[in-house]
Amino acid sequence: MRMVRAGSWLVLLLLISVFAAAQDSLSSSSTSSSEGQPAAAPAAAPAPVPAAATDTPSQSTQSLPPVAATLNDVLDRVVQREHYFMAQMRHMHPMVETYLQDLKNDSSGAAVPSKDQYFLGRLDMSDGPEDTSFTGQPGFGRRVVARLTGVYSLHFLPMGFAQMVILDSDFQKKYYNFSFVRREFLGEIRCLVIDVQPREGQKVPRFMGRIWVEDQDYNIVRFNGTYAPQPKINFFFHFDSWRLNMRPGTWLPAYVYSEESNMKTGLSKSLHFKAQTRLWGYDLKGLNKNEEFTQILVDSPQSVRDQSDAAADATPVVAERMWEKQAEDNAVERLQKIGLLAPAGELDKILCTVVNNLLITNNIDLQGDMRCRVLLTSPLESFTIGHTIVVSRGMLDVLPDEASLAMVLSHELAHIVLGHRLDTKLAFNDRMFFPDEDSFQRLDFKRSAADEEAADNKAMELLKNSPYRDKLGEAGLFLKALQEKAPDLPNLIRPHLGNGLASAKSVRMAAVLAAAPALDEKRLDQIAALPLGGRVKVDPWSDQVELSKAKSVPLASAREKMEFEITPFFPYLTRLSMGATDKVALTSSSSSTTQPK
Ligand SMILES: [Zn+2]
């Protein structure tokens, strides 16, 4: 076992993520125009593609396959691809998560979160956009019609946000006016940028805004705008919707950012919020591959023992361990299958490195293996399932440094070291037969208050012997910031499967909190917590997680700290190369997300 002594967690993570497949640098379009005569568009064809100011005419014609030499041809292809997209989406059942922060102006006039809302569900568009709720709010299971009716109510019905993955469920040229704007790169994807407006006299609300169309297959990869006309009773929000190239030739929704700053909704009420919607878990077939369990049968010490001494039954102690392990494996497997837990990967190893640092410096030899896994959701939570430590993506995002990560992991490790048991009812496989949307009710890894306190105390002991003991001030600052924001962000800190890191009244690891220096919001060099979404990147197809490669940028003002806040999405779009069907889609946050060390 190797120890990592110094350096920020981020640096460590970045080093490891170097192993990830390097992306080809920005390459020019490989589309060949040899078989056609791009310059010789038929004279009768209406509305030729205007040469963009940023492009020479020869480039713009060469980049297009001969069949789409005019804007009209391009639009035919776009409409065709969009109908194909809709047909595909009816068979897709990704997870959909929307996290929304209401904003208010603070004393300095800056917009800060004042409350928040959270929704997690699975999208089912087989009969229009609908989702199955995991979080149990009333009204979420309701079916809505496929047409774009007023689903974005004041109550932030989540299908309102899920709907924003659809431009128009019946996209037709005849409903819209189009005007070509320019060519533009999104990441390494060259796009045609086209403004889209519904024609006069449309009976149903339709998309109004701008679309980005990649110039090989003419898929829409981004659209930004709203639906119009606004209905009388409900409201359409503005949104910025992104699709990623997840399979060759297939672009599927991954991110939607929505924001309203002064939306009048009644006599006195006005809406002021920002919201992030993320989709993942598209490859349900892949997720349902039952690899986890077989791996564990091969890997576990018990099975090795079985092979070497086949005649012996398990001793009572070993039988008890095997029984607990079975419950643990069942739960981990189930969480991964339904798309809540990322498959085992590189990021888990990084978390394990930190845990090992704690184990080695405390001379602890855990009986049985220890695993770390990433929960794919935003709310800040961590918990243990037997010897598996689970940390949420949102938690990993906001932790500012390795010491605060070690603090979170030390508490979970303490549960393991203290032998706090997993409820072994999960060892009976029939207990796993429940609908996915009941997961939060059926899988519960909460600990008693007494266990929590014992774990906090043990964790302090572990930290004090560790290389992190001199850096607990930063971890304390994180807890202080969390304590300060907790009353305004109850949904971010509300755990769904384990115990909360904080409540409106108390914060975990009070001893670390008490020893923290003063929190100074104005100091640019004091980063107590990071914004959401800047660190962990989820592949929406395979659910694999990795570290974002985006470099941190110096903050221009204290306002840019945006602790625990959400920001717009700017993924770096890439195209899957032909033949590389197993390659994952890669995106990364852009500099819009600050990421200080
Ligand atoms: Zn705990």
Side-chain angles (χ1 to χ4, degrees):
M1 283 191 285
R2 215 156 20 125
M3 262 196 46
V4 177
R5 273 188 199 83
S8 79
W9 177 47
L10 190 63
V11 171
L12 169 70
L13 299 185
L14 284 173
L15 281 175
I16 294 185
S17 63
V18 165
F19 293 113
Q23 284 299 289
D24 291 337
S25 59
L26 194 142
S27 60
S28 58
S29 168
S30 59
T31 308
S32 162
S33 59
S34 58
E35 58 191 86
Q37 320 82 2
V49 175
T54 53
D55 241 342
T56 67
S58 66
Q59 273 174 336
S60 62
T61 47
Q62 270 166 17
S63 68
L64 296 173
V67 285
T70 67
L71 178 60
N72 208 32
D73 291 344
V74 167
L75 293 172
D76 283 336
R77 298 279 293 268
V78 172
V79 166
Q80 189 192 353
R81 293 305 295 177
E82 201 58 15
H83 283 257
Y84 174 65
F85 166 82
M86 280 305 297
Q88 275 183 315
M89 283 306 287
R90 290 187 211 287
H91 302 287
M92 298 287 180
H93 300 98
M95 302 287 291
V96 189
E97 178 193 65
T98 295
Y99 178 58
L100 180 150
Q101 292 180 333
D102 282 295
L103 303 171
K104 63 162 190 231
N105 289 335
D106 66 7
S107 52
S108 68
V112 294
S114 59
K115 56 183 196 237
D116 64 352
Q117 313 208 30
Y118 182 73
F119 171 79
L120 179 71
R122 198 190 293 290
L123 188 67
D124 179 0
M125 297 200 344
S126 50
D127 186 23
E130 186 202 350
D131 35 34
T132 313
S133 172
F134 281 51
T135 39
Q137 295 95 326
F140 282 146
R142 235 173 37 181
R143 293 183 97 72
V144 293
V145 289
R147 279 181 317 153
L148 303 176
T149 49
V151 290
Y152 313 132
S153 83
L154 272 182
H155 308 292
F156 299 119
L157 286 182
M159 54 275 233
F161 290 93
Q163 177 113 35
M164 294 173 192
V165 304
I166 298 173
L167 182 90
D168 182 336
S169 54
D170 182 25
F171 190 50
Q172 305 277 0
K173 269 197 313 188
K174 63 184 178 193
Y175 299 146
Y176 291 98
N177 291 320
F178 299 91
S179 68
F180 178 82
V181 181
R182 62 171 176 269
R183 281 162 206 282
E184 188 176 287
F185 278 97
L186 293 179
E188 63 176 49
I189 304 299
R190 184 165 51 187
C191 296
L192 305 167
V193 185
I194 301 169
D195 279 347
V196 178
Q197 279 190 295
R199 289 192 178 164
E200 291 287 314
Q202 294 300 311
K203 296 277 190 302
V204 295
R206 298 203 175 275
F207 176 74
M208 179 168 73
R210 179 165 287 190
I211 60 175
W212 282 255
V213 177
E214 49 90 17
D215 70 358
Q216 276 189 17
D217 300 321
Y218 304 99
N219 291 293
I220 296 174
V221 299
R222 178 189 181 189
F223 53 102
N224 171 308
T226 187
Y227 302 111
Q230 289 280 352
K232 290 204 171 61
I233 300 166
N234 289 316
F235 305 91
F236 293 134
F237 300 145
H238 288 87
F239 52 85
D240 191 11
S241 193
W242 294 77
R243 297 174 184 170
L244 301 186
N245 191 192
M246 296 186 205
R247 311 309 298 147
T250 301
W251 293 73
L252 296 172
Y255 305 114
V256 183
Y257 177 73
S258 189
E259 183 183 284
E260 291 296 342
S261 53
N262 189 23
M263 185 176 233
K264 296 276 179 273
T265 59
L267 292 175
S268 60
K269 261 194 104 180
S270 83
L271 275 183
H272 193 181
F273 74 89
K274 51 187 179 179
Q276 278 188 345
T277 297
R278 293 157 188 271
L279 296 95
W280 71 84
Y282 277 97
D283 186 19
L284 270 184
K285 271 198 205 115
L287 294 175
N288 282 319
K289 266 188 217 147
N290 213 349
E291 287 168 350
E292 182 78 11
F293 199 63
T294 42
Q295 272 170 13
I296 283 153
L297 283 179
V298 172
D299 290 343
S300 78
Q302 284 78 32
S303 61
V304 173
R305 184 196 171 100
D306 288 347
Q307 282 155 16
S308 61
D309 191 8
D313 292 333
T315 66
V317 172
V318 171
E320 179 64 24
R321 282 186 194 161
M322 288 172 78
W323 188 243
E324 282 177 28
K325 180 77 172 154
Q326 188 169 317
E328 175 182 339
D329 291 345
N330 278 348
V332 168
E333 185 191 357
R334 180 58 190 255
L335 286 173
Q336 183 180 329
K337 259 179 158 178
I338 62 183
L340 282 171
L341 202 65
E346 290 301 312
L347 191 43
D348 304 339
K349 292 182 192 156
I350 295 159
L351 301 179
C352 282
T353 305
V354 176
V355 175
N356 278 333
N357 285 349
L358 292 165
L359 286 172
I360 294 167
T361 45
N362 282 279
N363 292 315
I364 297 171
D365 184 12
L366 279 186
Q367 294 294 311
D369 46 353
M370 180 271 305
R371 292 181 290 188
C372 294
R373 298 292 287 270
V374 178
L375 193 72
L376 290 161
T377 48
S378 290
L380 314 184
E381 63 181 310
S382 62
F383 53 91
T384 57
I385 309 172
H387 282 198
T388 303
I389 295 177
V390 180
V391 187
S392 69
R393 178 186 54 76
M395 177 84 98
L396 294 173
D397 271 344
V398 299
L399 290 172
D401 54 21
E402 190 176 336
S404 42
L405 174 66
M407 173 187 67
V408 167
L409 293 172
S410 69
H411 173 96
E412 302 308 334
L413 179 60
H415 282 304
I416 298 175
V417 171
L418 292 170
H420 292 163
R421 291 287 172 84
L422 171 68
D423 188 338
T424 47
K425 70 181 181 190
L426 298 176
F428 291 105
N429 292 293
D430 61 287
R431 307 242 195 227
M432 292 293 149
F433 299 160
F434 53 82
D436 290 354
E437 56 269 28
D438 291 351
S439 300
F440 288 151
Q441 284 77 47
R442 303 293 285 270
L443 296 173
D444 182 358
F445 308 105
K446 276 191 182 59
R447 303 284 183 189
S448 68
D451 278 2
E452 282 296 280
E453 199 188 328
D456 270 358
N457 292 335
K458 184 70 185 173
M460 275 316 291
E461 197 185 310
L462 297 174
L463 287 169
K464 281 194 173 134
N465 292 327
S466 79
Y468 306 108
R469 64 176 168 264
D470 301 327
K471 302 195 184 84
L472 291 180
E474 277 108 66
L477 277 177
F478 170 77
L479 292 177
K480 261 192 183 168
L482 185 70
Q483 187 181 39
E484 202 163 274
K485 299 282 158 81
D488 295 331
L489 302 174
N491 285 293
L492 185 64
I493 59 168
R494 178 178 301 138
H496 293 278
L497 292 166
N499 290 87
L501 193 61
S503 68
K505 292 193 192 94
S506 68
V507 172
R508 195 186 279 179
M509 305 288 288
V512 176
L513 174 70
L519 193 62
D520 185 350
E521 297 226 326
K522 299 212 165 52
R523 270 179 58 184
L524 285 185
D525 61 339
Q526 192 191 71
I527 306 294
L530 302 184
L532 280 165
R535 179 165 273 155
V536 180
K537 213 167 70 175
V538 178
D539 181 284
W541 182 262
S542 67
D543 285 1
Q544 296 276 1
V545 286
E546 65 171 332
L547 263 220
S548 165
K549 290 176 190 69
K551 292 204 179 68
S552 63
V553 292
L555 299 187
S557 71
R559 179 66 206 110
E560 287 192 324
K561 284 187 183 181
M562 299 186 292
E563 292 157 355
F564 305 109
E565 288 188 37
I566 52 182
T567 61
F569 294 109
F570 274 94
Y572 186 88
L573 299 188
T574 58
R575 183 173 273 123
L576 289 180
S577 53
M578 293 303 284
T581 49
D582 291 331
K583 203 174 140 192
V584 298
L586 292 169
T587 59
S588 72
S589 311
S590 81
S591 55
S592 66
T593 309
T594 57
Q595 201 175 63
K597 277 202 258 176

